[in-house]
Every structure is written in structure tokens, then in C-alpha cells.
Amino acid sequence: MKIVKSLLPLTMLLLSGCVVGPDYRTPEAALPVKFSESAAKSAGDVTLNRWWENYHDKRLNALVEQGMNQNLTVLQAMERITEAQANVVLAGSGAWPQISANANATVAGQDGSLLRAQQSGVPGITGPSHTQSKTLAASGSASWLLDLFGQYRRARESANANLDAVYNDVNVARVAYLNDLTTAYISARFYQESLALDRLNLASRRETLKLTEDIRAAGAASSLDVVQAEGLVNQTLAEIPPLEIGFYQAANRIATLLGVPASTVTPSLLAGSGQPMPRYSAKAGIPADLIRNRPDIRRAERTLAAATAQIGVAESQLYPSLTLDGTINASRVISAATGNLTGWSFGPNLIIPIFTGGALQAQVDIANSQAKQQYFAWKQTVLNAVEEVESAQAALIRDYQTVAALRRLVASNEEALSLARESYRGGASTILDVLDAERNVANSRLTLASSIRTLATDYAALNVAIGGGSSIDTPVPTQAPRVAQVVGKAPVVKDNGSAPFTQ
């Protein structure tokens, strides 16, 4: 008891030791006040914004909800949360006493006969011989590595940061799912619209072919006019199969994103619907919004925090480690002579690294380098996010202008086709004028459909770029409380291109 009483204050003193390595500080980046083509007004928290509902397409809304927790990529990311939570427990387990016990029982004996030969020539006397003993043994051991320099505290800190990063991985996967599903649905409806337009064009060109044949029967048109009209009909027929292929490929992609066979999705899509087009413009906000709304930026920041904590783990290996070890052994032998034996031991075990060939310092250098790499990765992620928003916003603004102009162009071409046919019937123009008008109408209609597809896709791209909808249906973090920050010099993290860590 005297030993325990004398060691207890020393133990408590050692347990309150320092934590080596830099404390983490959230990095900073120099960002513009606003995006190039928007006002300097924050969009707030957009992570719960259901932006796809602005297409006003009930079928799209149903597909998004169906696949929100069925997408296999999202499910994989969610399962990694369980792994990361276990890693938090594993990282901190070494700081607790490790206790183990074992027990065994054995039975030993001898069986045989004993021959006693008499030197005097008396006949030998034989008799049975039998011996047996039982041994009961038990032992226990305890070991406690005192975390003098914060090795396990830094490891747990790193594991907690990695757990945060994994939660953001779920959001990254969900945003990717939303973008892929919406884009695939937009493509499917585009191909259906293009097929409908091609069939409309086919009917119009067949009407022109019939008109040409009627005029030739009246002697006012040549066989060449008829052949040219037939060629345009066949050209339209050849354009239909590739559009059907595009539709089925988009439908198959939707099924894969939902995690179901294509046969369960395609029939409902074949019913057809208009092209989805957003009714409202997206608010890009300001660049600073991206830091809190983009899950990939948050993931990169948490990965940086985990790498920073690993510097402390590596540095702790440079210093002595102290382990308190204790064992107790007890045994009982049951035989002709019965006895008990008990032994125990207790004492500290001090390990001092003296010469390791530079291996321990190399581990510190590696950890520092990895942390700097993560800082640059975070900075690159931020810059990429700004670029994506700028590009998507610039495209979306001009997409609306393009669609409006193409609508007017289609109306003009349709009127020109009507006038060309009337003129051809009256003999004031040739069949080439009608065929040219047919081509212009067909091309402008398909171009308009393609531009609507581009507008709808860019609308999705802008919302994804600002992190819209990333936190919908995402599980709430349930990790253990983080270890409080302890004494240590914080790393300097500035957006000046220099190394973000100091010792």
C-alpha cells in the first residue's frame, strides 16, 4: 500500500503532462468579396435547398427521393462512418490500462507395474503402481502506458477529424448523386423531345414529298424534285435510331444511380414528358459561402486537421515512454502433497529512444510533409469550387438568352416554311426553297431542345457548385466528444503560399 500511495501522486503528475505537436487552427484563404456576375449578397445555408424541385417535374422529384438512400455510392460512404467511429475508439484505447487474465487446469498421472527383484534369489514380487496429481493455475496481467506526451490524445484527435471528414464524404457522394441523376434525367427527356421533333419533322417532310408528287403529276415538277424530297425523308428516318439509343442509355444510367435494374425504371420513362426547365434562377451567393456549404471543402479541411494531429503522434515517439506493468500468478497442486504458490510483480518500465538511425525524426518529417500536402489540397479545393461557380453562373446567364433567341428563331422558321409551301404551290418558288425551309425548321427545333438541355444541366451544375442540397438526409454525427485542445504552439495557416505549419 505504501508503494501505491507514493506512486499515485507521481502518476497523476505524469498524466497531466504536455502534448507535443502543433495545435490545429482552421486555415484561411484570400477570397474575392463576390463572384464576377453576381451581387455581394450571401446565399446563407443552401445545404438543405431542394433545388431540383424548381424544375417542377414530379417524376424527377420522385426519382430523387427514391434514390436518396438507395444510391450505392452513398451507401458505401455511409458505411464508412461505422468504420471511422470504430477508429476513434481504437485510437484512444491505448491510453487506458490493458488488463488480461487466463486460467488452466491439468491432470497428470502414471500407470504401470513395479518389479522388485531380490538379490538373494527370492522370486520377484510384482504389484500395481498408480500416481496422479492435479494442478490449478491462474494469472493476470495489467499494463498502462502513461500518455506523457499526448500520443493517444493526438491520435484520438486525428481519428475524430477523420470521422468528420467521412461524414462529409457522405455529403460529397450525395451531391454527386443528385447531379448525375438530374443530368441523366434531363438527357433522357432531351432524347425523347428530339425523337418527338424528328417524328414531327418526318411528318412534315412526308407532307412535302406528297406535295411534290402531286405537283409532278400535274406536270409542274420534275422527278429530281421528288427524289430530293424523298432523300430528306430518309435522312430523318436515319436520325431516329441514334436518339433512341441515347434515351435508353440515359434510362439505364438512372436505374444504376437508383440501384435497381433498368427494367424497373425504363417503362415509366417511356411514357414521356416535357423537357425539365428551371423556373427560377439560382443564387450563387458569395465565395465565402462555399467554405461552409461545400462538403468537399469541409472534408479537405477535416483531413488537414487529422494530418496536423498526426504530427503530434510522430513527435511523441521522440520522447521517453513510461509503462506501469503488473502481474500476479497463483497455482494449487493437489496430490499426495498439496500446496499453493502465489507470485506477483509490479513496477514501471521506462523506454528511452537513444539511437534509431534517424527513423523517428523521419516519421516527424513525413507527418509534417503530409500535413502541408493536405493544406495545399484544401487550398486547391477552394479555388476549384470558386472556378466551378464562376463558370456555371456565366453559362447559366447566357443559356437563358440563348433559349429566348432560339424560341424566336423557331417561330420565324416555321412561318418561313409555311410561306415557302404556299409559294411552291403557286409556282413562284422551287422545291429547293421548301426543302431548305424544312431543314431550317428541323435544325432550329433540335437546337432549341439542345439549348434547353444545356440550360437545365447548367442550372444543376451551379446548384451543385454552391453545395445545394448536400446535407439532405445525411446522418447526424454521433462521434465521441473531442479531446480539448491543450498547450502547444498553433500552426500558422495563411494564404501566402508558404508552409502552413510551424513547430
Side-chain angles (χ1 to χ4, degrees):
M1 290 297 296
K2 292 183 179 180
I3 297 177
V4 174
K5 290 181 179 179
S6 61
L7 285 177
L8 182 59
L10 176 62
T11 302
M12 299 306 296
L13 178 63
L14 292 175
L15 288 175
S16 62
C18 65
V19 177
V20 298
D23 285 339
Y24 178 71
R25 179 179 296 171
T26 303
E28 301 173 357
L31 294 173
V33 177
K34 70 181 192 68
F35 293 110
S36 300
E37 300 190 72
S38 63
K41 184 178 180 181
S42 173
D45 184 3
V46 299
T47 59
L48 297 176
N49 181 21
R50 308 175 78 86
W51 51 267
W52 56 89
E53 294 181 354
N54 290 334
Y55 292 107
H56 291 275
D57 190 308
K58 293 182 179 179
R59 181 58 178 150
L60 173 60
N61 295 341
L63 289 173
V64 170
E65 294 303 321
Q66 177 183 347
M68 189 67 77
N69 289 309
Q70 287 184 208
N71 179 259
L72 296 179
T73 304
V74 174
L75 292 177
Q76 290 177 52
M78 292 180 68
E79 186 58 35
R80 284 194 289 271
I81 292 176
T82 303
E83 178 185 354
Q85 288 173 332
N87 279 331
V88 172
V89 177
L90 183 63
S93 63
W96 295 93
Q98 308 297 306
I99 302 174
S100 62
N102 64 78
N104 63 78
T106 60
V107 177
Q110 292 180 339
D111 291 293
S113 59
L114 177 65
L115 174 65
R116 293 184 298 172
Q118 302 296 327
Q119 294 294 332
S120 59
V122 177
I125 302 174
T126 62
S129 175
H130 176 75
T131 62
Q132 178 176 316
S133 66
K134 299 179 182 179
T135 303
L136 303 177
S139 65
S141 64
S143 177
W144 191 3
L145 175 61
L146 302 182
D147 197 10
L148 303 180
F149 299 98
Q151 172 185 349
Y152 291 110
R153 278 171 280 182
R154 288 300 192 197
R156 188 175 177 85
E157 181 183 334
S158 178
N160 270 312
N162 275 323
L163 178 57
D164 288 341
V166 171
Y167 271 100
N168 282 296
D169 266 337
V170 176
N171 295 340
V172 170
R174 200 178 299 284
V175 167
Y177 154 75
L178 291 172
N179 184 55
D180 290 347
L181 179 64
T182 304
T183 301
Y185 183 82
I186 291 169
S187 295
R189 295 311 188 195
F190 161 73
Y191 286 117
Q192 284 184 313
E193 179 71 13
S194 298
L195 282 167
L197 290 174
D198 258 14
R199 293 185 179 110
L200 183 64
N201 293 334
L202 180 62
S204 176
R205 288 170 178 177
R206 281 174 172 165
E207 181 182 345
T208 301
L209 174 60
K210 185 178 182 304
L211 174 63
T212 306
E213 290 173 339
D214 292 343
I215 294 176
R216 183 184 64 174
S222 66
S223 297
L224 178 60
D225 292 341
V226 174
V227 171
Q228 288 175 324
E230 286 179 343
L232 206 55
V233 169
N234 290 325
Q235 177 185 337
T236 307
L237 289 171
E239 292 171 353
I240 291 177
L243 295 175
E244 292 176 337
I245 293 172
F247 166 77
Y248 280 104
Q249 289 176 339
N252 293 340
R253 180 59 182 160
I254 291 172
T256 300
L257 291 170
L258 297 180
V260 297
S263 58
T264 64
V265 176
T266 304
S268 62
L269 292 175
L270 283 171
S273 179
Q275 284 188 270
M277 183 172 173
R279 307 293 177 85
Y280 308 103
S281 59
K283 297 179 180 179
I286 58 177
D289 291 338
L290 301 178
I291 303 297
R292 61 174 175 269
N293 289 333
R294 288 268 301 218
D296 56 338
I297 294 178
R298 298 199 303 269
R299 176 184 61 184
E301 184 271 329
R302 291 286 81 204
T303 304
L304 171 60
T308 305
Q310 285 298 322
I311 298 176
V313 175
E315 282 191 11
S316 67
Q317 304 298 317
L318 298 173
Y319 300 95
S321 62
L322 179 62
T323 305
L324 301 179
D325 295 316
T327 61
I328 184 170
N329 298 284
S331 63
R332 176 178 175 83
V333 180
I334 304 173
S335 61
T338 300
N340 297 324
L341 178 64
T342 302
W344 60 272
S345 66
F346 175 80
N349 181 24
L350 180 65
I351 299 177
I352 302 176
I354 297 176
F355 180 73
T356 60
L360 297 181
Q361 183 58 50
Q363 291 295 330
V364 175
D365 294 340
I366 291 172
N368 268 294
S369 178
Q370 290 174 343
K372 292 175 183 177
Q373 292 174 47
Q374 291 301 328
Y375 165 72
F376 295 131
W378 172 84
K379 185 176 177 181
Q380 186 65 56
T381 304
V382 173
L383 294 177
N384 289 341
V386 174
E387 177 190 354
E388 289 174 7
V389 175
E390 293 277 20
S391 298
Q393 186 180 40
L396 186 60
I397 291 172
R398 287 153 184 82
D399 288 339
Y400 281 107
Q401 299 170 357
T402 300
V403 168
L406 284 172
R407 290 190 190 279
R408 296 192 295 270
L409 177 61
V410 169
S412 298
N413 287 339
E414 288 174 346
E415 183 178 0
L417 174 59
S418 178
L419 293 173
R421 283 176 176 166
E422 290 297 326
S423 178
Y424 182 54
R425 285 190 183 96
S429 62
T430 66
I431 188 61
L432 292 178
D433 296 326
V434 178
L435 296 181
D436 286 341
E438 288 273 10
R439 293 189 186 94
N440 290 337
V441 169
N443 291 337
S444 60
R445 285 173 176 171
L446 290 173
T447 303
L448 174 60
S450 179
S451 296
I452 292 175
R453 175 195 189 185
T454 301
L455 186 153
T457 301
D458 287 341
Y459 179 80
L462 179 56
N463 279 281
V464 167
I466 63 176
S470 60
S471 295
I472 293 178
D473 286 350
T474 299
V476 178
T478 57
Q479 70 269 34
R482 291 186 185 82
V483 177
Q485 297 293 335
V486 292
V487 179
K489 191 172 182 181
V492 179
V493 185
K494 297 293 183 181
D495 185 28
N496 55 11
S498 62
F501 303 99
T502 59
Q503 296 288 45

